[in-house]
Amino acid sequence: MNYDYIEIEKEVWDEQADKYIFGFMNATGHFHHDYTGNKYYRNNNVKNLSSGGKCKISFSPHTRKLKVSICPSKWATGQNVELIGIDSTLKLVGDLENELAVELGDAEIKQLDLTQRPFTDCNVGAYTPFICSFPHNRVFSRLMFYDTLTYKGNSTPISLTFYDKVRQTKDKKGNKSVDIPSHLTGKNITTYEVRLNSSKQIAKIMNLKEEQNPKPELNFLFQDEIVAHLDTYWRKSYQSIPKLTDIGFDLSGVTEGKDVIKAIQEFSNAQLGRTTIEALIKIADDSGAFKESYHKSYARKVLLKPFEQKGKKNSLIEELDYKIMNSKINWD
């Protein structure tokens, strides 16, 4: 696990810091004036002149709120295919504090993306047909866009995403691999990312005590115990996604014709594909074919229960499991 994106916010009441904040924001181009009501704030995509990487900074002299949105790897190295480690991210924070003349350690984390990018045998598109929907779509909706698979939280500010980092970078650069390190060109880099979009949810995952009205602070990201909590959540979220898809044609112990029919039906459904069956159930639901909500639940139970009882993981998923679960926290 590593930190792919961090968004923080802090109130800065020392007006002496304004000149440093605005000076840093204006160092690589003119900042923009935006308005909320009759109060303006300034924002700019600030460029790291040594690496070419950028981060977004906004500050309002009225509300005194400073917001920093940063991808540590991109800011430090100019590219975001290879991730920098946690210790390097801590040094980066120190450098930003020097530029802004503001301590950022107690800034509140508003968004945090946890990720890892293992090398895999295949492109991410080979794995997604075997990564299935959650039993109850009230929690996460499964969304497929090209070869990017996202589970969007319906009742929670969390999303889980699988995507090809090299392809994503090429697409953003107009199919030019200008910021992809040469030794990674042609590699399959399957990213699994957990995006946490709420301070309250981040605090909960960090295991901060609710009775203390906790605020997840930036400096917590560099504490061993907190890192362990975040890493555990990242791994458990991956494990929670259903991936049992393969059912063999097994007639051992079958003595009656009805059991033969059942075995053939279950094998046929597996050949059709669990994710295809899930998609057909969704089409039926969207079409209004289920007159009662329990009709949909019953259809899911009948059609998907055999996968949970007899299904096994496809060999591609076994490979992905191994790569994800054996990845290490990057401290460097």
Side-chain angles (χ1 to χ4, degrees), residues 38-57:
N38 61 352
K39 297 180 179 180
Y40 77 90
Y41 63 94
R42 298 171 177 178
N43 70 75
N44 191 21
N45 288 316
V46 180
K47 188 174 183 179
N48 184 337
L49 297 178
S50 63
S51 70
K54 294 180 180 180
C55 73
K56 185 174 182 179
I57 298 177

Side-chain angles (χ1 to χ4, degrees), residues 1 26 50 81 107 117 133 161 176 180 232 238 277 290 312 315:
M1 183 220 63
N26 203 30
S50 63
V81 180
R117 301 191 179 123
S133 297
T161 304
K176 296 179 181 179
I180 299 175
T232 297
Y238 171 81
I277 294 172
F290 298 121
K312 297 181 179 180
S315 59

Side-chain angles (χ1 to χ4, degrees), residues 154-216:
N154 296 322
S155 58
T156 182
I158 298 174
S159 62
L160 319 174
T161 304
F162 297 85
Y163 63 94
D164 180 342
K165 187 60 190 178
V166 172
R167 176 171 179 172
Q168 182 202 60
T169 303
K170 287 181 178 180
D171 288 345
K172 286 184 176 180
K173 293 294 181 180
N175 292 322
K176 296 179 181 179
S177 54
V178 293
D179 62 350
I180 299 175
S182 59
H183 65 282
L184 298 180
T185 302
K187 299 287 187 180
N188 296 310
I189 303 178
T190 297
T191 297
Y192 174 62
E193 181 175 286
V194 176
R195 175 168 293 178
L196 309 173
N197 292 304
S198 156
S199 295
K200 183 177 180 180
Q201 192 68 43
I202 295 169
K204 182 179 179 181
I205 293 169
M206 286 181 170
N207 202 30
L208 304 182
K209 303 301 180 183
E210 290 187 14
E211 61 270 16
Q212 299 174 356
N213 191 24
K215 180 184 76 172

Side-chain angles (χ1 to χ4, degrees), residues 9 13 35 47 86 110 126 128 143 163 191 197 234 241-242:
E9 185 176 274
W13 293 103
Y35 290 84
K47 188 174 183 179
I86 293 174
K110 294 293 188 178
T128 53
L143 306 172
Y163 63 94
T191 297
N197 292 304
W234 178 80
I241 302 172

Side-chain angles (χ1 to χ4, degrees), residues 76-140:
T77 66
Q79 56 83 28
N80 190 29
V81 180
E82 280 188 304
L83 297 167
I84 65 171
I86 293 174
D87 290 340
S88 296
T89 301
L90 176 60
K91 180 180 182 303
L92 178 155
V93 170
D95 293 341
L96 280 178
E97 288 178 325
N98 293 334
E99 294 285 0
L100 296 169
V102 175
E103 288 189 7
L104 298 175
D106 61 348
E108 183 175 8
I109 304 171
K110 294 293 188 178
Q111 181 181 321
L112 178 64
D113 293 1
L114 309 174
T115 192
Q116 190 59 277
R117 301 191 179 123
F119 295 126
T120 51
D121 294 347
C122 305
N123 182 278
V124 65
Y127 304 96
T128 53
F130 307 104
I131 305 174
C132 310
S133 297
F134 282 87
H136 302 290
N137 287 338
R138 293 188 301 272
V139 181
F140 287 97

